[in-house]
Amino acid sequence: MQYCKRCTYPIIAVNLAMRDDGVCSGCDVTDEKSSIDWKAREEEFRRLLEEHRSKDGSNYDCIIPVSGGKDSHFQVWYITKKLGLKPLLVTYYTHNYTETAEQNLRNISRAFGVDHYIFTPSLKMVSKMNIAGFRKMGDMSWHFHCGVWTLPFQVAVRFNIPLVIYGEHGFLDLAGQYSLSDRPEFTVRDRKESYLRGYDWNDFVGDEGLTEQDLLWAKFPPDEEIARVGVRGIHLGVYTYWDGNANAKHMQEFGFKPSNEVSERTYRTISNVDDIHENGIKDWLKFVKFGYGRCTDHTSKDIRLGVMTREQGIELVRKYDHVVPRKSLEYFLSMTGMKEEEFFRIADTFHDPRVWWIENGEWWKDNPWGEPSSYGPVHLPKESWVKYEKKSS
Ligand SMILES: [Zn+2]
């Protein structure tokens, strides 16, 4: 496995590309940031908002999808305090909020004096989606991603609000999927292929007894409706310099609270803290699949921001990436009634043979510190081991 020689990403991560000299596309796009005229970009953003806002004050100016974290706070601060507009905040409530995240979510509307539409799906449905997503693709948070990339558009169509403003473009920032000069916007294709792993709501009908009526929140509005309102989804991170660490610090002035507990899987206490599984088993499953976890995401970002060296990053990856998050696991098992043994048996089936091989009954993979190591016993039946024979590198 090839690792970027500047950050900590393996080439298999988040669809990134590697240059011949061993630097990844995510690092490349970070370099672009210093050559962009951010003042001109902000002007461009103002013009875009002016074009789409409610001219006569009879409606909201835009929609901001929020989960409640530091970036949500920053988006709302930017639109209300800096630009003086009237957004409608929209949240798909996952039922997986930590205590601090819940406080942060409730804080935004108070701190910035705005209306907040929180959609609370039934706990019974979420519990079924947790199991179905885990069995289908090793991701119990699929419903969460579907909610984030669907509900704001349902609300946009219902209330005739043509502009939806997301924060950073995740795949641009982490992987360099697009250049900042592309000014990528939301597309239905990205929704399905990148965010929803190629699945849609109808793939879940019948799983765990789920019906179409259970999944109404997951239906993206028809093209005619999107066209009637002229809905566009854009990313604030394309128009203003984005620094998550600085945003977290700044937003504490407006009541944002970093997580007060140390995560089992990463050193950052300001990121991905909204949902108990985001830095928990959902992320541990990413390690099981692709051999890297949240700590690799965070160290890559922080190395690019100049907060730490690659060596420091690698030490953290070594400490955190493989750790099984007990708290999130126990929460998942109690919500779904699944037995721990069954969970690990299913999880084992998701190992990607491009990353993992089996040696003496144990899982092995390469590491950014140069030498391979083993990561525990294999639970798969022996006849399926052939897929995981060590490839000569
Ligand atoms: Zn890199």
Side-chain angles (χ1 to χ4, degrees), residues 41-55:
R41 283 274 168 130
E42 294 201 358
E43 275 313 308
E44 199 181 320
F45 186 60
R46 279 175 201 269
R47 285 199 299 276
L48 211 156
L49 283 166
E50 205 41 52
E51 217 177 284
H52 290 87
R53 67 176 294 191
S54 169
K55 306 282 188 310

Side-chain angles (χ1 to χ4, degrees), residues 66-70 72-73 89 91 93 96-112 116 118 251-252 254-261 273-275:
V66 294
S67 57
K70 65 184 193 323
S72 299
H73 277 74
L89 314 188
T91 297
Y93 187 78
N96 294 334
Y97 274 71
T98 61
E99 210 177 297
T100 311
E102 185 86 35
Q103 288 171 20
N104 283 331
L105 179 71
R106 308 289 162 180
N107 176 62
I108 304 189
S109 145
R110 281 197 299 268
F112 300 104
H116 191 170
I118 300 178
M251 288 306 115
Q252 286 176 47
F254 296 92
F256 165 74
K257 289 198 184 83
S259 173
N260 52 13
E261 26 181 311
V273 292
D274 312 321
D275 185 291

